[in-house]
Structures are given as structure tokens and as C-alpha cells.
Amino acid sequence: MPRFPGPVESRLPAVGTTIFTVMSRLAAEHGAINLSQGFPDFPADPALFELVSKHMRAGSNQYAPMAGAAPLREALVRKAEAGLGTAYDPEHEITVTAGATQAIYTAVTALVRPGDEVIVFEPVYDSYAPAIELAGATVVRARLRPPEWRPDWAEVRRLVTPRTRMVMINSPHNPTGGSWAAEDLDALAALTRGTGIVVVSDEVYEHLVFDGRRHESCARHPELRDRSVVIGSFGKTFHVTGWKVGWALAPRELMAEFRKVHQFVVFTVNTPVQLALAEFLEDPARYLSLPDFYQRKRDLLRAGLAASRFELLPCHGTYFQLAAYGRISDEPDAVLAERLTREVGVATIPVSAFYDTPPAGQRLLRFCFAKKEETLARACERLAKV
Ligand SMILES: Cc1ncc(COP(=O)(O)O)c(C=O)c1O
């Protein structure tokens, strides 16, 4: 086997295969029900597939404009205006991206400089810290605290320094299912007032909010709108995580820098899918029905586990449910997650994977409930016996 003739100095020495890949692989190996990685096991609306096919056949198969196909940018801006009451300019304030992950990476690369500090909230989605480290900046970690998983703003204030360049937030929140209140955004606005701090607001679960709650978007907030890159993803909204199409909204000055990087990371996103999504968005019921759709699944999972020894934490949004297992075992969560996959036939995600240094004694697993009702019922049956 030929080998590279020299040392390879990793830019990300601490990064290995993500826990999501590891658990999904283990689930497949053991034929376990996969409640680990966050993707639906049910199909998207066939009307969406028809639209993609229509645009392919009609010849829309060459590069779309760098910022995104105009009909999709316009449809997304109309959606933001209708849903959040906020106007964005489709020419200068939105870019269609290859999923939220690329939008996150691009925002950090474009707006963070070596030596800067970026505040994130643990448990934190796994792509944020590597993006910050690759930009030569320092990850500064605040903690969200159970059971509501909202920030302690006094702690966050202590973490802000003259080098703080960005705050990255995510609500509704993966992995906890928590969601921030309007007061949290007010606190963030107060904290950043008079500074050049940019907020990256990962809102990929914007439509997955339950019990009549309103999604508090940075795009809606009168002050934060002007300093935020607000990120969304069709993967979550239309049950097509494999399509990897998302978007970023930001004021013109930030978006101009974002696009400078975007054009060399991906240049543009696949054309027929963009045009299909633009048409599919014409019927708002397609995303406004999501809270009811997923709330039913959440309630099924919770009811199915009510008599189990797992203790369920509140879940206000996303398609993730956290469960404490202190009554079941003393094992570290990664050990238990592996054992449940092998012995019980249900794969989950250990919440410690979302921390640099997990809180001592925290015993939590994450279940994904973006699954068919029969999948959830079978999983609950197995988990109830643990
Ligand atoms: C909080 C959060 N941000 C970003 C992403 C990535 O989204 P995409 O698949 O559109 O890149 C995910 C996917 O699980 C997520 O949970």
C-alpha cells in the first residue's frame, strides 16, 4: 500500500469519526432500531420529488447563480417576512447553502479571525468548534443547564472579552430539545449592544416547536437582526436531510463577506433541487403543519416510555428527547449507549458527545423521534424492559 512520504500534521488533531457515524454503524451491525442520528425513517412528500424531476427534465441542470436560484431566495425571503415579520433583501441578504453545516462553516470562516474568541453553549452541536479552530480562533464554552437548558446570562457576561468576535446559538436546541425564550434574546442583545460581535443563530429546527410555543428567531428580534447570520435547513423542514440544502440570512455587510467565502467553498448549490424547493414553499401548510406532526411523535415516545425507568426531560422543540438513566445504571453514557445497541437493539446518542469536558455524573441519552409510529412503538417496547 503506497504511503504519504512524510508526517501529516493534523489541523484538527482531536477530531475522529463523529459519534453519529459510530452509532449509526453500530446500529446497522446489530440490526438495532436507530434512534441515534437525526434523520427521518419516513419519506418526504412525493410532490417534492415530482418537482425536482420536472426541473431536471426542463433543462435546469447547469450552475445556479452563486447566491442561490432567484426564485428560492425570493421564496425564502417571503417566508421570513410572513413568519417573522422581518424584511430581507433577496439580492443582498440571503445565500442558499449546501446545508446548514456549510452555512455555519462559511459564516465562521468569513467573519472570525485568528486570535478571536467565539462563545458557544454546551452541550453544543459538533460542527461549531472545529470550524472555530480551523479559523485560528478560540472556543469559549458557556453551559446550558438542565432541565430547561437556557443560558445563565451572568456566566455568559463573564466570558465576554474585547476579543469576543462571535456568539453561536442554537434554538430549538440539539441535543436537548430546549428552546430559548424572548428574554434570552433580549439578554443577548443587551450583551452585544455597542460591540462588533456577530451572532450566528442556528435555527434549523425553527418549525419544530411544541405546545403552542413561538420560535424566538434572531431574525425577528429588532436589535439582533442587524448583527445575526440566521441559518436554516430544508433537511429538517421537508424530511430530506440527505439533500443538504440550507440557507443563511444576514444584513448586507455580513452577507457580502459570507459570499466571498461561499463562492470558493461550494460556489453554488444544485439547481433543480433549488427550483423545486422554491415551488414547494408556495404552500406554507407544508411547513406550518410540522409542530403538530412532530408533537404527536414526541407524545408517542413519551407515553411509550412513561412506565420505563428512564426519566424524560422536558422537550419543547426539535425531534430529540433526552432521557436520564440514573435509575438504570451508573455506566458512562457512551458505554450504556453501546450496550443498549448491542443487547437491547436500540441505538441512541450519549449526550457527553456534545461536550469538551462533560459535567461529572451527568447520565443522559438522546433519542431521535423523527421516526414512523411503528418504529417508535417497537423502540419503546424494547426500552421499557431496560
Ligand atoms: C443544530 C444543527 N445544526 C446544523 C445541522 C446540520 O444541518 P444540515 O444537514 O442542513 O447541514 C444539524 C443537523 O443535525 C443540527 O442538528
Side-chain angles (χ1 to χ4, degrees), residues 232-302:
S233 172
F234 288 109
K236 315 295 171 184
T237 301
F238 291 145
H239 320 309
V240 285
T241 59
W243 286 15
K244 298 297 291 185
V245 182
W247 65 92
L249 294 160
R252 184 176 180 147
E253 299 71 25
L254 297 182
M255 191 47 77
E257 294 307 310
F258 182 101
R259 287 182 181 175
K260 286 181 191 172
V261 175
H262 174 79
Q263 70 180 333
F264 297 118
V265 171
V266 61
F267 181 61
T268 185
V269 175
N270 97 63
T271 309
V273 168
Q274 288 197 61
L275 296 174
L277 288 165
E279 258 186 85
F280 199 68
L281 279 172
E282 280 169 15
D283 179 3
R286 287 175 165 148
Y287 50 87
L288 296 179
S289 55
L290 282 176
D292 286 349
F293 176 78
Y294 273 116
Q295 185 170 322
R296 189 179 149 80
K297 292 186 184 295
R298 177 201 65 176
D299 292 347
L300 271 172
L301 178 69
R302 290 181 70 93

Side-chain angles (χ1 to χ4, degrees), residues 78-88 219-220:
R78 277 196 302 276
K79 171 176 170 300
E81 178 135 33
L84 306 170
T86 310
Y88 282 92
R220 194 203 300 272

Side-chain angles (χ1 to χ4, degrees), residues 34 74 169 192 209-210 221 226 267 273 275 292 332 347 384:
N34 191 358
E74 283 155 15
I169 69 173
T192 51
V209 280
F210 310 135
H221 194 279
D226 295 340
F267 181 61
V273 168
L275 296 174
D292 286 349

Side-chain angles (χ1 to χ4, degrees), residues 96 105 108 174 203:
V96 178
Y105 180 82
V108 172
N174 174 10
E203 302 184 13

Side-chain angles (χ1 to χ4, degrees), residues 38 98-102 104 125 128 170 172 174 202 204-205 232-236 241 244-246 319-320:
T101 311
Q102 185 237 312
I104 292 161
Y125 185 63
Y128 299 3
N170 168 221
N174 174 10
D202 177 346
V204 298
Y205 300 101
S233 172
F234 288 109
K236 315 295 171 184
T241 59
K244 298 297 291 185
V245 182
Y319 45 51
F320 301 114

